[in-house]
Amino acid sequence: QVQLVESGGGLVQAGGSLRLSCVVNENIFNFNSMGWYRQAPGKERELVATINVGGRTNYAHFVEGRFTIFRDGEKKTVYLQMNNVNPDDTAVYYCTARIRSSCSWGQGTQVTVSP
């Protein structure tokens, strides 16, 4: 069973930076893609960024140029570097790992951005 554990969330001021980590219990290259989603209170869960097995990245328009997704195969970890955050980035951030049609989720980590 795939297990994903996120960490790195917390409280940060607008304009600041935060790095989220997602450790998986398998070789990250077993997955077609890994990524980050987020869900703010009262809103639907939305895609933030993905990285596929070949290393290609994809970003939601609202984080492009501010957030970076990258990985470390040896550490079995995918990261989300968040720069120049704003209060609209406040949400629970979830890590995902996808193999064909099967998608696994972590438990989420809270990110709160103060004005």
Short mmCIF file of all heavy atoms in Angstrom, two decimals, residues 7-71:
data_model
loop_
_atom_site.label_atom_id
_atom_site.label_comp_id
_atom_site.label_asym_id
_atom_site.label_seq_id
_atom_site.Cartn_x
_atom_site.Cartn_y
_atom_site.Cartn_z
N SER A 7 4.91 17.05 5.20
CA SER A 7 5.37 17.86 6.32
C SER A 7 5.82 19.21 5.78
O SER A 7 5.91 19.41 4.56
CB SER A 7 6.53 17.18 7.06
OG SER A 7 7.64 17.03 6.19
N GLY A 8 6.07 20.14 6.70
CA GLY A 8 6.59 21.44 6.30
C GLY A 8 5.59 22.57 6.33
O GLY A 8 5.95 23.73 6.12
N GLY A 9 4.33 22.24 6.57
CA GLY A 9 3.32 23.30 6.65
C GLY A 9 3.50 24.14 7.90
O GLY A 9 4.29 23.81 8.79
N GLY A 10 2.76 25.24 7.94
CA GLY A 10 2.83 26.11 9.10
C GLY A 10 2.30 27.49 8.78
O GLY A 10 1.61 27.70 7.78
N LEU A 11 2.64 28.41 9.64
CA LEU A 11 2.20 29.81 9.50
C LEU A 11 3.34 30.63 8.92
O LEU A 11 4.48 30.56 9.40
CB LEU A 11 1.79 30.36 10.86
CG LEU A 11 1.38 31.83 10.91
CD1 LEU A 11 0.13 32.07 10.08
CD2 LEU A 11 1.15 32.27 12.36
N VAL A 12 3.03 31.40 7.88
CA VAL A 12 4.04 32.23 7.24
C VAL A 12 3.41 33.56 6.85
O VAL A 12 2.20 33.62 6.57
CB VAL A 12 4.63 31.51 6.00
CG1 VAL A 12 3.56 31.20 4.97
CG2 VAL A 12 5.78 32.29 5.39
N GLN A 13 4.19 34.60 6.86
CA GLN A 13 3.68 35.91 6.48
C GLN A 13 3.65 36.05 4.96
O GLN A 13 4.44 35.43 4.24
CB GLN A 13 4.55 37.01 7.06
CG GLN A 13 4.36 37.22 8.55
CD GLN A 13 5.09 38.46 9.04
OE1 GLN A 13 6.12 38.83 8.51
NE2 GLN A 13 4.53 39.10 10.05
N ALA A 14 2.74 36.86 4.49
CA ALA A 14 2.67 37.15 3.05
C ALA A 14 4.03 37.63 2.55
O ALA A 14 4.70 38.43 3.22
CB ALA A 14 1.59 38.19 2.79
N GLY A 15 4.41 37.11 1.40
CA GLY A 15 5.71 37.44 0.83
C GLY A 15 6.81 36.50 1.24
O GLY A 15 7.92 36.54 0.68
N GLY A 16 6.52 35.64 2.20
CA GLY A 16 7.52 34.71 2.71
C GLY A 16 7.58 33.43 1.90
O GLY A 16 6.95 33.29 0.84
N SER A 17 8.35 32.47 2.42
CA SER A 17 8.57 31.20 1.73
C SER A 17 8.34 30.03 2.68
O SER A 17 8.48 30.16 3.90
CB SER A 17 9.99 31.14 1.18
OG SER A 17 10.23 32.13 0.22
N LEU A 18 8.03 28.90 2.06
CA LEU A 18 7.80 27.66 2.81
C LEU A 18 8.15 26.51 1.88
O LEU A 18 7.92 26.63 0.66
CB LEU A 18 6.34 27.59 3.23
CG LEU A 18 5.96 26.86 4.52
CD1 LEU A 18 6.65 27.48 5.72
CD2 LEU A 18 4.44 26.93 4.71
N ARG A 19 8.68 25.43 2.43
CA ARG A 19 8.96 24.25 1.62
C ARG A 19 8.20 23.06 2.21
O ARG A 19 8.41 22.69 3.36
CB ARG A 19 10.44 23.94 1.55
CG ARG A 19 10.75 22.67 0.74
CD ARG A 19 12.23 22.41 0.63
NE ARG A 19 12.87 23.42 -0.20
CZ ARG A 19 14.18 23.42 -0.48
NH1 ARG A 19 14.97 22.45 -0.01
NH2 ARG A 19 14.69 24.37 -1.24
N LEU A 20 7.36 22.47 1.41
CA LEU A 20 6.65 21.26 1.79
C LEU A 20 7.40 20.03 1.31
O LEU A 20 8.00 20.06 0.23
CB LEU A 20 5.24 21.25 1.22
CG LEU A 20 4.37 22.48 1.50
CD1 LEU A 20 2.97 22.27 0.92
CD2 LEU A 20 4.31 22.78 2.97
N SER A 21 7.32 18.96 2.10
CA SER A 21 7.96 17.69 1.73
C SER A 21 6.93 16.58 1.75
O SER A 21 6.00 16.60 2.55
CB SER A 21 9.09 17.35 2.71
OG SER A 21 10.07 18.35 2.73
N CYS A 22 7.12 15.62 0.87
CA CYS A 22 6.25 14.45 0.82
C CYS A 22 7.14 13.22 0.67
O CYS A 22 7.78 13.04 -0.37
CB CYS A 22 5.27 14.56 -0.34
SG CYS A 22 4.32 13.05 -0.65
N VAL A 23 7.17 12.41 1.71
CA VAL A 23 7.95 11.18 1.69
C VAL A 23 7.03 10.02 1.34
O VAL A 23 5.95 9.88 1.93
CB VAL A 23 8.64 10.95 3.04
CG1 VAL A 23 9.45 9.66 2.99
CG2 VAL A 23 9.53 12.11 3.41
N VAL A 24 7.47 9.20 0.41
CA VAL A 24 6.67 8.05 -0.01
C VAL A 24 7.43 6.77 0.35
O VAL A 24 8.67 6.78 0.40
CB VAL A 24 6.35 8.13 -1.52
CG1 VAL A 24 7.61 8.08 -2.35
CG2 VAL A 24 5.38 7.03 -1.95
N ASN A 25 6.69 5.70 0.56
CA ASN A 25 7.32 4.46 1.01
C ASN A 25 7.72 3.56 -0.16
O ASN A 25 7.96 2.36 0.05
CB ASN A 25 6.39 3.71 1.97
CG ASN A 25 5.09 3.27 1.31
OD1 ASN A 25 4.70 3.78 0.27
ND2 ASN A 25 4.41 2.31 1.92
N GLU A 26 7.77 4.13 -1.36
CA GLU A 26 8.21 3.36 -2.53
C GLU A 26 9.14 4.21 -3.38
O GLU A 26 9.25 5.42 -3.18
CB GLU A 26 7.00 2.95 -3.38
CG GLU A 26 6.06 1.98 -2.71
CD GLU A 26 4.99 1.49 -3.67
OE1 GLU A 26 5.14 1.67 -4.89
OE2 GLU A 26 3.98 0.93 -3.20
N ASN A 27 9.77 3.57 -4.32
CA ASN A 27 10.57 4.29 -5.30
C ASN A 27 9.67 5.27 -6.05
O ASN A 27 8.66 4.87 -6.63
CB ASN A 27 11.17 3.28 -6.28
CG ASN A 27 12.10 3.92 -7.30
OD1 ASN A 27 12.05 5.12 -7.54
ND2 ASN A 27 12.94 3.10 -7.90
N ILE A 28 10.03 6.55 -6.02
CA ILE A 28 9.16 7.56 -6.63
C ILE A 28 9.05 7.37 -8.14
O ILE A 28 8.08 7.83 -8.74
CB ILE A 28 9.61 8.99 -6.30
CG1 ILE A 28 11.00 9.27 -6.86
CG2 ILE A 28 9.55 9.24 -4.80
CD1 ILE A 28 11.42 10.74 -6.71
N PHE A 29 9.99 6.67 -8.74
CA PHE A 29 9.95 6.46 -10.19
C PHE A 29 9.03 5.30 -10.56
O PHE A 29 8.89 4.98 -11.74
CB PHE A 29 11.36 6.28 -10.74
CG PHE A 29 12.23 7.48 -10.52
CD1 PHE A 29 13.22 7.48 -9.55
CD2 PHE A 29 12.04 8.63 -11.26
CE1 PHE A 29 14.01 8.59 -9.33
CE2 PHE A 29 12.82 9.75 -11.05
CZ PHE A 29 13.81 9.73 -10.08
N ASN A 30 8.41 4.68 -9.55
CA ASN A 30 7.37 3.68 -9.83
C ASN A 30 6.08 4.35 -10.30
O ASN A 30 5.23 3.70 -10.89
CB ASN A 30 7.05 2.87 -8.57
CG ASN A 30 8.16 1.90 -8.22
OD1 ASN A 30 9.05 1.63 -9.03
ND2 ASN A 30 8.11 1.37 -7.01
N PHE A 31 5.94 5.64 -10.01
CA PHE A 31 4.71 6.36 -10.28
C PHE A 31 4.77 7.10 -11.60
O PHE A 31 5.80 7.63 -11.99
CB PHE A 31 4.41 7.34 -9.15
CG PHE A 31 4.37 6.70 -7.79
CD1 PHE A 31 5.41 6.87 -6.90
CD2 PHE A 31 3.28 5.91 -7.42
CE1 PHE A 31 5.38 6.26 -5.65
CE2 PHE A 31 3.25 5.31 -6.18
CZ PHE A 31 4.30 5.48 -5.30
N ASN A 32 3.62 7.15 -12.29
CA ASN A 32 3.54 7.93 -13.52
C ASN A 32 3.74 9.42 -13.22
O ASN A 32 4.34 10.14 -14.00
CB ASN A 32 2.19 7.71 -14.20
CG ASN A 32 1.99 6.27 -14.61
OD1 ASN A 32 1.02 5.63 -14.22
ND2 ASN A 32 2.91 5.73 -15.39
N SER A 33 3.21 9.84 -12.09
CA SER A 33 3.38 11.23 -11.70
C SER A 33 3.15 11.38 -10.20
O SER A 33 2.49 10.54 -9.57
CB SER A 33 2.42 12.15 -12.45
OG SER A 33 1.08 11.92 -12.06
N MET A 34 3.69 12.44 -9.65
CA MET A 34 3.43 12.83 -8.28
C MET A 34 3.10 14.31 -8.30
O MET A 34 3.48 15.04 -9.24
CB MET A 34 4.62 12.55 -7.37
CG MET A 34 4.93 11.06 -7.25
SD MET A 34 6.19 10.68 -6.02
CE MET A 34 5.31 11.08 -4.50
N GLY A 35 2.39 14.75 -7.27
CA GLY A 35 2.00 16.14 -7.31
C GLY A 35 1.46 16.66 -6.00
O GLY A 35 1.44 15.95 -4.99
N TRP A 36 1.06 17.89 -6.06
CA TRP A 36 0.47 18.58 -4.91
C TRP A 36 -0.87 19.19 -5.31
O TRP A 36 -1.00 19.79 -6.39
CB TRP A 36 1.40 19.70 -4.42
CG TRP A 36 2.66 19.21 -3.81
CD1 TRP A 36 3.85 18.98 -4.44
CD2 TRP A 36 2.88 18.87 -2.44
NE1 TRP A 36 4.79 18.53 -3.55
CE2 TRP A 36 4.21 18.47 -2.31
CE3 TRP A 36 2.07 18.89 -1.31
CZ2 TRP A 36 4.76 18.06 -1.09
CZ3 TRP A 36 2.61 18.51 -0.10
CH2 TRP A 36 3.95 18.09 0.01
N TYR A 37 -1.85 18.99 -4.43
CA TYR A 37 -3.14 19.63 -4.53
C TYR A 37 -3.35 20.43 -3.26
O TYR A 37 -2.65 20.25 -2.27
CB TYR A 37 -4.26 18.59 -4.67
CG TYR A 37 -4.39 17.96 -6.04
CD1 TYR A 37 -3.41 17.11 -6.53
CD2 TYR A 37 -5.49 18.22 -6.85
CE1 TYR A 37 -3.53 16.53 -7.78
CE2 TYR A 37 -5.63 17.65 -8.09
CZ TYR A 37 -4.64 16.81 -8.55
OH TYR A 37 -4.75 16.24 -9.79
N ARG A 38 -4.36 21.30 -3.29
CA ARG A 38 -4.69 22.03 -2.08
C ARG A 38 -6.19 22.22 -1.99
O ARG A 38 -6.90 22.21 -3.00
CB ARG A 38 -3.98 23.38 -2.04
CG ARG A 38 -4.49 24.41 -3.02
CD ARG A 38 -3.63 25.67 -2.98
NE ARG A 38 -4.20 26.75 -3.76
CZ ARG A 38 -3.57 27.91 -3.98
NH1 ARG A 38 -2.36 28.13 -3.47
NH2 ARG A 38 -4.15 28.85 -4.71
N GLN A 39 -6.64 22.41 -0.76
CA GLN A 39 -8.06 22.67 -0.52
C GLN A 39 -8.20 23.72 0.56
O GLN A 39 -7.76 23.51 1.70
CB GLN A 39 -8.80 21.40 -0.12
CG GLN A 39 -10.30 21.57 -0.03
CD GLN A 39 -11.04 20.25 0.05
OE1 GLN A 39 -10.47 19.21 0.38
NE2 GLN A 39 -12.32 20.27 -0.30
N ALA A 40 -8.80 24.83 0.17
CA ALA A 40 -9.07 25.91 1.11
C ALA A 40 -10.46 25.72 1.69
O ALA A 40 -11.32 25.06 1.09
CB ALA A 40 -8.97 27.25 0.39
N PRO A 41 -10.73 26.29 2.87
CA PRO A 41 -12.05 26.14 3.49
C PRO A 41 -13.16 26.59 2.55
O PRO A 41 -13.10 27.67 1.97
CB PRO A 41 -11.95 27.05 4.71
CG PRO A 41 -10.50 27.11 5.03
CD PRO A 41 -9.80 27.06 3.71
N GLY A 42 -14.17 25.74 2.40
CA GLY A 42 -15.31 26.09 1.57
C GLY A 42 -15.08 25.99 0.08
O GLY A 42 -15.96 26.35 -0.71
N LYS A 43 -13.90 25.52 -0.31
CA LYS A 43 -13.58 25.43 -1.74
C LYS A 43 -13.26 23.99 -2.12
O LYS A 43 -12.97 23.16 -1.27
CB LYS A 43 -12.40 26.34 -2.08
CG LYS A 43 -12.68 27.81 -1.90
CD LYS A 43 -11.53 28.65 -2.43
CE LYS A 43 -11.83 30.14 -2.33
NZ LYS A 43 -10.72 30.97 -2.86
N GLU A 44 -13.31 23.73 -3.42
CA GLU A 44 -12.96 22.40 -3.91
C GLU A 44 -11.45 22.22 -3.93
O GLU A 44 -10.69 23.18 -4.01
CB GLU A 44 -13.54 22.20 -5.31
CG GLU A 44 -15.06 22.18 -5.36
CD GLU A 44 -15.59 21.81 -6.73
OE1 GLU A 44 -14.78 21.69 -7.67
OE2 GLU A 44 -16.81 21.63 -6.86
N ARG A 45 -11.06 20.95 -3.89
CA ARG A 45 -9.64 20.64 -3.99
C ARG A 45 -9.16 20.98 -5.40
O ARG A 45 -9.85 20.70 -6.38
CB ARG A 45 -9.41 19.16 -3.69
CG ARG A 45 -7.97 18.79 -3.45
CD ARG A 45 -7.85 17.37 -2.93
NE ARG A 45 -8.47 17.22 -1.62
CZ ARG A 45 -8.35 16.13 -0.87
NH1 ARG A 45 -7.65 15.10 -1.31
NH2 ARG A 45 -8.94 16.06 0.30
N GLU A 46 -7.97 21.58 -5.49
CA GLU A 46 -7.47 22.00 -6.79
C GLU A 46 -6.01 21.61 -6.97
O GLU A 46 -5.25 21.54 -6.00
CB GLU A 46 -7.62 23.52 -6.96
CG GLU A 46 -6.91 24.36 -5.92
CD GLU A 46 -7.21 25.84 -6.04
OE1 GLU A 46 -7.98 26.25 -6.93
OE2 GLU A 46 -6.63 26.62 -5.24
N LEU A 47 -5.65 21.41 -8.22
CA LEU A 47 -4.29 21.05 -8.57
C LEU A 47 -3.36 22.24 -8.34
O LEU A 47 -3.69 23.38 -8.70
CB LEU A 47 -4.22 20.62 -10.04
CG LEU A 47 -2.83 20.41 -10.62
CD1 LEU A 47 -2.20 19.16 -10.04
CD2 LEU A 47 -2.91 20.32 -12.15
N VAL A 48 -2.19 21.96 -7.77
CA VAL A 48 -1.18 22.99 -7.62
C VAL A 48 -0.02 22.75 -8.59
O VAL A 48 0.35 23.62 -9.37
CB VAL A 48 -0.64 23.03 -6.17
CG1 VAL A 48 0.50 24.03 -6.05
CG2 VAL A 48 -1.76 23.36 -5.20
N ALA A 49 0.55 21.55 -8.53
CA ALA A 49 1.69 21.24 -9.39
C ALA A 49 1.87 19.73 -9.48
O ALA A 49 1.52 19.01 -8.55
CB ALA A 49 2.97 21.87 -8.84
N THR A 50 2.42 19.28 -10.60
CA THR A 50 2.74 17.86 -10.77
C THR A 50 4.12 17.73 -11.43
O THR A 50 4.61 18.65 -12.08
CB THR A 50 1.72 17.13 -11.66
OG1 THR A 50 1.69 17.75 -12.95
CG2 THR A 50 0.33 17.16 -11.04
N ILE A 51 4.69 16.55 -11.21
CA ILE A 51 5.94 16.19 -11.88
C ILE A 51 5.80 14.76 -12.34
O ILE A 51 5.41 13.88 -11.55
CB ILE A 51 7.16 16.40 -10.95
CG1 ILE A 51 8.46 16.09 -11.70
CG2 ILE A 51 7.05 15.59 -9.67
CD1 ILE A 51 9.71 16.57 -10.95
N ASN A 52 6.08 14.49 -13.62
CA ASN A 52 5.89 13.14 -14.10
C ASN A 52 7.20 12.35 -14.01
O ASN A 52 8.25 12.88 -13.61
CB ASN A 52 5.29 13.11 -15.50
CG ASN A 52 6.26 13.54 -16.59
OD1 ASN A 52 7.45 13.75 -16.34
ND2 ASN A 52 5.77 13.66 -17.81
N VAL A 53 7.13 11.08 -14.38
CA VAL A 53 8.28 10.21 -14.19
C VAL A 53 9.48 10.70 -14.98
O VAL A 53 10.63 10.52 -14.57
CB VAL A 53 7.92 8.75 -14.54
CG1 VAL A 53 7.55 8.63 -16.01
CG2 VAL A 53 9.01 7.79 -14.15
N GLY A 54 9.22 11.39 -16.09
CA GLY A 54 10.31 11.92 -16.90
C GLY A 54 10.86 13.25 -16.42
O GLY A 54 11.84 13.75 -16.98
N GLY A 55 10.21 13.80 -15.39
CA GLY A 55 10.68 15.06 -14.84
C GLY A 55 9.95 16.29 -15.34
O GLY A 55 10.25 17.41 -14.93
N ARG A 56 8.99 16.09 -16.23
CA ARG A 56 8.23 17.25 -16.72
C ARG A 56 7.31 17.76 -15.62
O ARG A 56 6.63 16.98 -14.97
CB ARG A 56 7.41 16.88 -17.94
CG ARG A 56 6.77 18.10 -18.58
CD ARG A 56 5.73 17.73 -19.62
NE ARG A 56 6.20 16.77 -20.60
CZ ARG A 56 5.48 16.39 -21.64
NH1 ARG A 56 4.29 16.90 -21.85
NH2 ARG A 56 5.95 15.50 -22.49
N THR A 57 7.29 19.07 -15.48
CA THR A 57 6.46 19.69 -14.44
C THR A 57 5.29 20.44 -15.06
O THR A 57 5.33 20.88 -16.21
CB THR A 57 7.30 20.66 -13.60
OG1 THR A 57 7.88 21.65 -14.46
CG2 THR A 57 8.40 19.93 -12.86
N ASN A 58 4.26 20.58 -14.24
CA ASN A 58 3.05 21.29 -14.65
C ASN A 58 2.55 22.08 -13.46
O ASN A 58 2.53 21.56 -12.34
CB ASN A 58 1.99 20.29 -15.11
CG ASN A 58 0.69 20.97 -15.50
OD1 ASN A 58 0.69 21.83 -16.38
ND2 ASN A 58 -0.40 20.61 -14.85
N TYR A 59 2.16 23.34 -13.70
CA TYR A 59 1.73 24.20 -12.60
C TYR A 59 0.37 24.82 -12.89
O TYR A 59 0.06 25.16 -14.04
CB TYR A 59 2.75 25.33 -12.39
CG TYR A 59 4.11 24.86 -11.96
CD1 TYR A 59 5.11 24.65 -12.89
CD2 TYR A 59 4.38 24.63 -10.61
CE1 TYR A 59 6.36 24.21 -12.50
CE2 TYR A 59 5.63 24.18 -10.21
CZ TYR A 59 6.61 23.98 -11.15
OH TYR A 59 7.84 23.54 -10.76
N ALA A 60 -0.39 25.02 -11.83
CA ALA A 60 -1.60 25.83 -11.94
C ALA A 60 -1.19 27.27 -12.21
O ALA A 60 -0.14 27.74 -11.73
CB ALA A 60 -2.42 25.74 -10.66
N HIS A 61 -2.02 27.98 -12.95
CA HIS A 61 -1.65 29.35 -13.35
C HIS A 61 -1.42 30.26 -12.15
O HIS A 61 -0.59 31.18 -12.20
CB HIS A 61 -2.75 29.94 -14.25
CG HIS A 61 -4.06 30.17 -13.56
ND1 HIS A 61 -4.36 31.35 -12.94
CD2 HIS A 61 -5.12 29.36 -13.38
CE1 HIS A 61 -5.58 31.26 -12.41
NE2 HIS A 61 -6.05 30.06 -12.66
N PHE A 62 -2.13 29.98 -11.04
CA PHE A 62 -2.06 30.90 -9.91
C PHE A 62 -0.79 30.70 -9.06
O PHE A 62 -0.55 31.46 -8.12
CB PHE A 62 -3.31 30.78 -9.02
CG PHE A 62 -3.69 29.37 -8.66
CD1 PHE A 62 -3.02 28.67 -7.66
CD2 PHE A 62 -4.72 28.73 -9.33
CE1 PHE A 62 -3.37 27.38 -7.34
CE2 PHE A 62 -5.09 27.44 -9.01
CZ PHE A 62 -4.41 26.75 -8.02
N VAL A 63 0.03 29.69 -9.37
CA VAL A 63 1.28 29.50 -8.64
C VAL A 63 2.50 29.58 -9.56
O VAL A 63 3.63 29.60 -9.08
CB VAL A 63 1.33 28.16 -7.86
CG1 VAL A 63 0.16 28.07 -6.89
CG2 VAL A 63 1.38 26.97 -8.80
N GLU A 64 2.27 29.62 -10.85
CA GLU A 64 3.38 29.62 -11.79
C GLU A 64 4.28 30.83 -11.54
O GLU A 64 3.81 31.96 -11.39
CB GLU A 64 2.86 29.64 -13.23
CG GLU A 64 3.92 29.28 -14.25
CD GLU A 64 3.35 28.40 -15.36
OE1 GLU A 64 2.13 28.41 -15.56
OE2 GLU A 64 4.16 27.72 -16.02
N GLY A 65 5.58 30.55 -11.48
CA GLY A 65 6.55 31.60 -11.20
C GLY A 65 6.81 31.82 -9.72
O GLY A 65 7.77 32.51 -9.36
N ARG A 66 5.98 31.21 -8.87
CA ARG A 66 6.16 31.36 -7.41
C ARG A 66 6.50 30.03 -6.75
O ARG A 66 7.28 29.99 -5.80
CB ARG A 66 4.89 31.93 -6.78
CG ARG A 66 4.48 33.29 -7.29
CD ARG A 66 3.33 33.87 -6.46
NE ARG A 66 2.12 33.04 -6.52
CZ ARG A 66 1.51 32.54 -5.45
NH1 ARG A 66 1.96 32.78 -4.24
NH2 ARG A 66 0.41 31.81 -5.58
N PHE A 67 5.88 28.96 -7.21
CA PHE A 67 6.07 27.64 -6.61
C PHE A 67 6.91 26.78 -7.55
O PHE A 67 6.82 26.90 -8.78
CB PHE A 67 4.74 26.94 -6.38
CG PHE A 67 3.87 27.57 -5.32
CD1 PHE A 67 4.16 28.78 -4.74
CD2 PHE A 67 2.72 26.91 -4.90
CE1 PHE A 67 3.34 29.35 -3.76
CE2 PHE A 67 1.89 27.44 -3.92
CZ PHE A 67 2.20 28.67 -3.37
N THR A 68 7.68 25.87 -6.96
CA THR A 68 8.48 24.92 -7.73
C THR A 68 8.33 23.53 -7.14
O THR A 68 8.49 23.35 -5.93
CB THR A 68 9.96 25.31 -7.73
OG1 THR A 68 10.11 26.64 -8.25
CG2 THR A 68 10.78 24.34 -8.59
N ILE A 69 8.03 22.56 -7.99
CA ILE A 69 7.97 21.17 -7.56
C ILE A 69 9.25 20.48 -8.02
O ILE A 69 9.71 20.69 -9.16
CB ILE A 69 6.72 20.45 -8.12
CG1 ILE A 69 6.60 19.05 -7.54
CG2 ILE A 69 6.69 20.44 -9.64
CD1 ILE A 69 5.27 18.36 -7.86
N PHE A 70 9.85 19.71 -7.12
CA PHE A 70 11.05 18.96 -7.49
C PHE A 70 11.13 17.72 -6.62
O PHE A 70 10.35 17.56 -5.67
CB PHE A 70 12.31 19.83 -7.37
CG PHE A 70 12.61 20.37 -6.00
CD1 PHE A 70 13.58 19.77 -5.20
CD2 PHE A 70 11.94 21.47 -5.51
CE1 PHE A 70 13.87 20.28 -3.96
CE2 PHE A 70 12.22 21.99 -4.26
CZ PHE A 70 13.19 21.38 -3.48
N ARG A 71 12.07 16.84 -6.93
CA ARG A 71 12.11 15.56 -6.23
C ARG A 71 13.53 15.13 -5.94
O ARG A 71 14.48 15.59 -6.57
CB ARG A 71 11.40 14.50 -7.09
CG ARG A 71 12.11 14.28 -8.41
CD ARG A 71 11.29 13.48 -9.39
NE ARG A 71 12.00 13.33 -10.66
CZ ARG A 71 11.47 12.80 -11.75
NH1 ARG A 71 10.23 12.36 -11.74
NH2 ARG A 71 12.19 12.71 -12.86
#
